[in-house]
Amino acid sequence: MKVGASVLACCCLLIQVLGLALFLRGFFPLPVRSQARKSSISEIPAEPWAGKTSNWTQLPHPLFKKVVIVLIDALRQDFVFGVKGKEHMRYVTQLIEKGSTLSYIAMATAPTVTMPRIKALMTGTIPGFIDIVVNLNSPELLEDNVIWQAKQAGKRIVFYGDDTWIKLFPKHFVESDGTTSFFVSDFTEVDDNVTRHLDDVLKRDDWDVLVLHYLGLDHIGHLTGPHSHLIGPKLYEMDFVLKKIHSALSSKDEDPSFPSLIVVCGDHGMSEAGSHGGSSDEEVQTPLVLISSAFQNKAGTFKEPEIIQQTDLAPTLALGLGLPISRSSLGMLLPAVVEHKTFREQLRFFHLNGYQLCKLLKENLRAYEKDDGVEQFKKAEKLHANWIKLYLEGNTSEVLTNLGRKLIKQYLEALQKLSASLSKQVVEYDIYSMTVGAIITLEMFFLLLICVPSALSSKAEFDLPLASPIFSLFFYMTCLVLAAVHVIVCTSTENMCFFCSISWMMAMAIMVLIAALLCVLLSVLGKIILKHKSSNEKQSSSMSSWSELDLLLLVGTLGHVLSMGASSFIEEEHQTWYFLINTLCLALSQEMCRKYFLVRKRNKMNTSDLEYMEQTDVYINEIYDAHKKELKEERLSILERFIKDNEKWIALASPGIILICCRLLRPLNQTGVQWMHRSDFGHWLTSSEHKPELSFLVGTCLVMIFVLIQGKCSLVSKVALMFGLLGVYCYRATIGHVLYPWQQDTKDITKGITEARFVYIFVLGILITGIKDLLKSHMMCADYKAKSMGLWEVYSGLVLLAALLFRPHNLVVLVFCLLIQIILTMFIWKILKYDAAQITFMHYWFGQAFFFFQVSDPSDLPNLFWYFLQRDCYDKKYLHIIFQKK
């Protein structure tokens, strides 16, 4: 059956989308959620009682009169419980050491970004990675949550801080004032806009819940990292805010049995590079401190913070405010919060939490009755009923007390197992759906790969055999085997599987599609093997025309793609690129030695191939001869004359110089997962004690950048570039990264907005000048030199922008980047006369390697920016070819 290339491509694309959708559905499992939207008071279970119905069918009374949630963005646990906390958060540390608080280390789950963490805190669920997509445009939260329940109960909620809360909970706050989180350089006003409301709101009694979300600490982390000198003052500021809130609430706590509660927590932590989003200990461990007069009797019993899950806060807040627990909550009540209550009240709290978790597990697990947590909860529920019967009969013996303690222990064990079972449902992949999707995708990939030569031919059509494979015995046998596998998998699995949940007709249709694609693929492959069996010698001779470098670039690139199938290679991807560029440098060194010291023997080729290569060599030689002629017309400097006289030896040393540069850059930033926690040279430079050394390094790098890129710019662009780089240094000095030569300390620190705008003006001016010259040269058909100058000025503007956006110690990476580009262009690609495909592959390899040289700084420019900075994209050789063709 003859099929056009476009029709075949469209069909393959549609089937690929189906396979990809199945794979992604299994790879990104949906969060564990209740089928019903919200909890209601009418669904609250009654208290267990053997033989009769208990008269306690309502929620327990609230534990706290007012609740203040102080969420400090990117608050690491060592900022409160570590050395920094003891030094800068003295008031909170004093409360902790006195034992008048409940202190925990709350473990967050990846992705550690703000919006999913707020969801986890308020709903008790574990958001998935798909929530990163909607993090920038947070939609309204429709799941059951503490804020919605509080509003339904008539609680008056006031909010100040990150406007993500206002987007998630619209019309839930009686008063709010949001601040945006995108101005990362602002770490002062963004918090002042929150604190300025405190004096007024703390005097009033017209609110029940106050939520404060401070962003300044997170912004400092992104700018300067967790060891910056700015961290201490910010922690001191947060400590002062907490002292003010605690003092105001303590003065209003008239009833000791109905006190106020202050919740101090972080949404996520901060890595050693100042970023977040991953799963390192520094990013997932956040402090949770509960401050209330209800815990005053614990004075003198200070213990190390207990490790809990971040989702445990949602049920604790709900029951503390007298609200139903969110339907989809995976968390368990913190027992220390209710231990000052009577045994009956404590058991009631734990029973409510266990009932909600069992109900959620029932909706998400088929064989939920066999779960250990469910079985233990049922045993505890029966024992609870007997305890209530004894209690209501007036039994006050020590037996009742011991039985109550044993019952609480059983409830806690059941809650832990139930919470663990539900959490397991979130992190488990749907392997069956992933496998089916991957098989469909791979079948279509290989089919497209086989069809490419025919699709690119003059007829642009492909002979696709459909009848013979589909009516073959192998096709029907494959369908039977796949159907049997589907039945076995779907009847034996205990977890919910998406592919098993769809209708049997649809599942069988997909199985038939897989079998048909397999038969078609094998049939096409067999035809191609038989067709080309006689032409093996010709193919081998054509393959022999590939150079060693071509094979290295092809095998290296494909090897990297295949390595993405293993998580360990993904986590340590930088090691792959370091190995590849080192190997590439050795191959380039071999090619250079072969050119200068060995006689190159040409393989036997047919006449047409030889003529084509000779014409190509003549064409490229004409380009280089024209370039050399231009150089001769110019007045050569001493350095240029030295390079011209010693070009051979400089070219031979070039691969070694590149190797040395890459080796010097590797210890600058620790990357990967295994060694990210270790200190590197970048940490040493950015520490406050070595600010003079960093200042000298930054100044030297900026001078080197000017020297390396100013040569081909116009006079106006040179002046703009010089002042722009000077503005970069002034910006760094203003925000406290570096020092002026006459400056001794960094007391006068500002946000550097004026200096940054100063640099942006020069970037814009250089870009406009370059674009103007480029357009002018095209319209006036100017010579090659004028066209090259316009592109070079655009390139210079991008380099200036990169110098502004890179972290100060990473300017070394930019300098070596420019230096290696010049070496590759002048002494390797030009001399060895590589074609565009080879140079493109080398660009890709070095681009990936240089991304990882500075990757411990996620706020630096992404990998794509490296490609725009590739000087050789604007190299004179290819400019000349492009303009001649046009």
Side-chain angles (χ1 to χ4, degrees), residues 48 351 354-355 358-359 361-362 367-386 407 410-411 413-415 418:
H351 177 257
Y355 178 84
C358 283
K359 192 175 181 181
L361 189 64
K362 181 180 178 180
Y368 79 100
E369 302 95 344
K370 300 179 182 179
D371 186 81
D372 293 339
V374 175
E375 293 178 354
Q376 190 158 357
F377 175 75
K378 289 181 178 179
K379 292 179 183 178
E381 198 173 29
K382 291 179 181 179
L383 188 61
H384 187 183
N386 294 327
L407 183 53
Q410 281 194 4
Y411 264 134
E413 290 177 356
L415 291 177
L418 287 169

Side-chain angles (χ1 to χ4, degrees), residues 710-722:
Q710 56 82 35
K712 299 180 182 64
C713 295
S714 62
L715 181 60
V716 176
S717 296
K718 286 181 181 179
V719 174
L721 180 63
M722 181 179 64

Side-chain angles (χ1 to χ4, degrees), residues 36-51:
R37 280 289 183 186
K38 315 280 182 168
S39 296
S40 62
I41 297 178
S42 61
E43 299 175 351
I44 300 301
E47 184 181 46
W49 191 15

